[in-house]
Amino acid sequence: MKKKLIAVAALALSGSLSAGLAQADDLVVKIGHAGPLTGNIAHLGKDNENGARLALEEYQAKGVTIGGKKVKFELISEDDQGDPKTGNIVAQRLVDAGVKGVVGHLNSGVSIPASRIYNQAGIVMVSPSSTNPTLTQQGFPFVFRTMSNDIQQGTVLGKFATAKLGKKVAIIDDRTAYGQGLADEVEKGVKATGGAVSSREFTTNQSTDFMAILTKVKSQNPDVVVYTGMDAQGGPMLKQMRQLGIAAKFMTGDGGCTLDFIKLAGDAMNDKAYCSQAGLPLDQLTDKTFRERYKKRFGIEVQVYAPYAYDAASAIVEAMKAANSVEPAKYQPFLKKVAFKGAGGNVAFDDKGDVKAGAITVYQFRAGKWEALK
């Protein structure tokens, strides 16, 4: 009996060790995410993080095998605070952590300097929301994005403003790489369609009082005021515009085309408010169940960029599968060739790393929400 018990115990121990070895033999793949997880645009950074997390969790559930090993994805998320200096620190931290790819950053002003760190380390970076053209014009082979750039979006904003809303346009930006870059393209679009820029003003991405700028704008009596920055400033700016009695139509880009913008602007919101987003409306996404899955997983609605963060993470995984390797140097050539239907649209990259055929959508505020026009 004693010998039998010993044999059974040995067999049980052997089974336990085998199970442990199977788990230990899994290939743990660290994927980085970086964006503002604190501060006045933390809701957008969290939106990105959630999109990337959902993609990796769904791949995990389906089961991915690379190099004969079952892959376990681990998302390492860092808070760059929307600040370029912090972004560089975070980028180096992710490199040191041994990530095999990065989804991020949110802000162009952070992504552009951070991209140099990733590229030098030979780590793939795919931004779901940095739209400044410079990001992919640096010639970095490890840098990509799943969102249309500001040349496309700014042109649409400027042309729509003068063709549909009025010929005299005032432009205000937040002096970030995103805001100033988008404003430059808006100005080109306005002039290309016979419009006139009555004023180019700027603020900061931390400001809350815009009365001095808006008083100057009011004296020029523009038909349209375009603000290129984030919702944390755009919403209060529109409210202060109406307090000053500025009746001009208001437009903003994707950084302000959010649910939070509506909340911050409050009763200043009316059908004279417009915005644009680099991408398709949520109800026209390629993946028809994405919003439902996202809300079920996180208990909140999609803000703006989650579908494109989902696609960024998915593109990295698809390239790894195609290369049968998680090493960036080996899967990067396959990332340049990926072609699949993502949550936000068809995902494929041009020779610079920009997403091909990216959509731009213009919205108008109606019935308490942003409603897609075209």
Side-chain angles (χ1 to χ4, degrees):
M1 178 63 73
K2 187 175 181 180
K3 288 181 179 179
K4 286 183 179 180
L5 288 173
I6 292 172
V8 170
L11 183 62
L13 180 59
S14 174
S16 175
L17 287 173
S18 295
L21 286 171
Q23 291 179 345
D25 199 42
D26 287 351
L27 181 60
V28 178
V29 179
K30 296 178 181 178
I31 302 295
H33 164 266
L37 303 178
T38 56
N40 59 19
I41 55 171
H43 56 290
L44 298 177
K46 195 65 180 178
D47 197 46
N48 272 5
E49 181 190 77
N50 289 344
R53 188 179 301 281
L54 183 61
L56 295 179
E57 287 178 352
E58 290 184 349
Y59 272 107
Q60 187 77 41
K62 294 174 186 175
V64 175
T65 302
I66 295 176
K69 294 183 178 182
K70 184 179 178 182
V71 175
K72 179 181 179 183
F73 293 106
E74 180 181 340
L75 184 68
I76 300 178
S77 189
E78 294 282 355
D79 180 10
D80 66 21
Q81 300 173 28
D83 174 68
K85 291 182 180 179
T86 305
N88 282 347
I89 294 170
V90 161
Q92 190 60 54
R93 190 180 297 155
L94 289 172
V95 170
D96 294 342
V99 298
K100 300 301 184 183
V102 175
V103 176
H105 297 226
L106 174 81
N107 307 80
S108 295
V110 183
S111 286
I112 292 169
S115 65
R116 182 175 297 275
I117 294 172
Y118 298 126
N119 194 71
Q120 288 177 343
I123 294 174
V124 165
M125 164 191 167
V126 186
S127 174
S129 49
S130 293
T131 54
N132 188 294
T134 300
L135 179 63
T136 52
Q137 292 176 350
Q138 301 174 99
F140 293 162
F142 286 84
V143 176
F144 299 79
R145 68 172 139 218
T146 52
M147 169 83 51
S148 305
N149 66 41
D150 286 337
I151 295 175
Q152 297 165 301
Q153 184 178 193
T155 300
V156 169
L157 269 172
K159 289 184 176 180
F160 182 87
T162 52
K164 302 293 184 181
L165 306 181
K167 296 292 185 181
K168 194 174 181 181
V169 182
I171 303 173
I172 306 171
D173 70 74
D174 67 0
R175 267 318 183 249
T176 63
Y178 161 71
Q180 187 172 359
L182 183 57
D184 290 343
E185 298 303 327
V186 170
E187 182 172 3
K188 292 176 187 177
V190 167
K191 292 178 178 178
T193 46
V197 175
S198 61
S199 179
R200 274 292 302 261
E201 306 294 336
F202 64 91
T203 180
T204 75
N205 61 349
Q206 300 297 321
S207 298
T208 56
D209 185 353
F210 310 103
M211 287 299 189
I213 293 172
L214 293 173
T215 298
K216 183 177 179 180
V217 168
K218 182 180 179 180
S219 69
Q220 297 160 350
N221 194 31
D223 300 310
V224 189
V225 175
V226 178
Y227 175 64
T228 57
M230 308 305 285
D231 54 13
Q233 283 70 49
M237 183 180 291
L238 177 56
K239 181 178 284 190
Q240 291 171 39
M241 272 181 57
R242 300 312 181 208
Q243 289 171 353
L244 280 173
I246 299 175
K249 297 176 179 68
F250 181 90
M251 286 198 78
T252 187
D254 58 294
C257 206
T258 68
L259 299 174
D260 271 43
F261 182 99
I262 296 171
K263 295 175 185 176
L264 290 167
D267 57 10
M269 293 297 293
N270 56 33
D271 62 4
K272 290 185 177 182
Y274 299 80
C275 69
S276 67
Q277 281 187 9
L280 293 169
L282 289 176
D283 60 359
Q284 294 180 31
L285 292 178
T286 305
D287 186 341
K288 300 302 182 184
T289 66
F290 178 80
R291 292 177 71 184
E292 180 184 342
R293 301 197 317 273
Y294 181 97
K295 188 171 184 179
K296 182 178 180 181
R297 171 64 180 86
F298 302 109
I300 54 176
E301 294 285 352
V302 171
Q303 286 285 332
V304 180
Y305 305 116
Y308 306 97
Y310 182 97
D311 289 348
S314 298
I316 290 172
V317 177
E318 289 297 326
M320 287 177 171
K321 288 166 58 181
N324 199 31
S325 174
V326 301
E327 297 304 323
K330 293 184 178 180
Y331 78 75
Q332 181 268 356
F334 291 86
L335 184 57
K336 296 173 73 173
K337 300 175 183 178
V338 295
F340 63 94
K341 288 186 177 180
N346 293 328
V347 178
F349 301 106
D350 65 17
D351 56 356
K352 290 182 180 179
D354 280 313
V355 68
K356 292 180 180 178
I360 306 292
T361 305
V362 177
Y363 296 79
Q364 183 177 12
F365 182 77
R366 290 175 177 169
K369 63 180 181 179
W370 292 119
E371 183 177 299
L373 295 180
K374 60 184 297 184

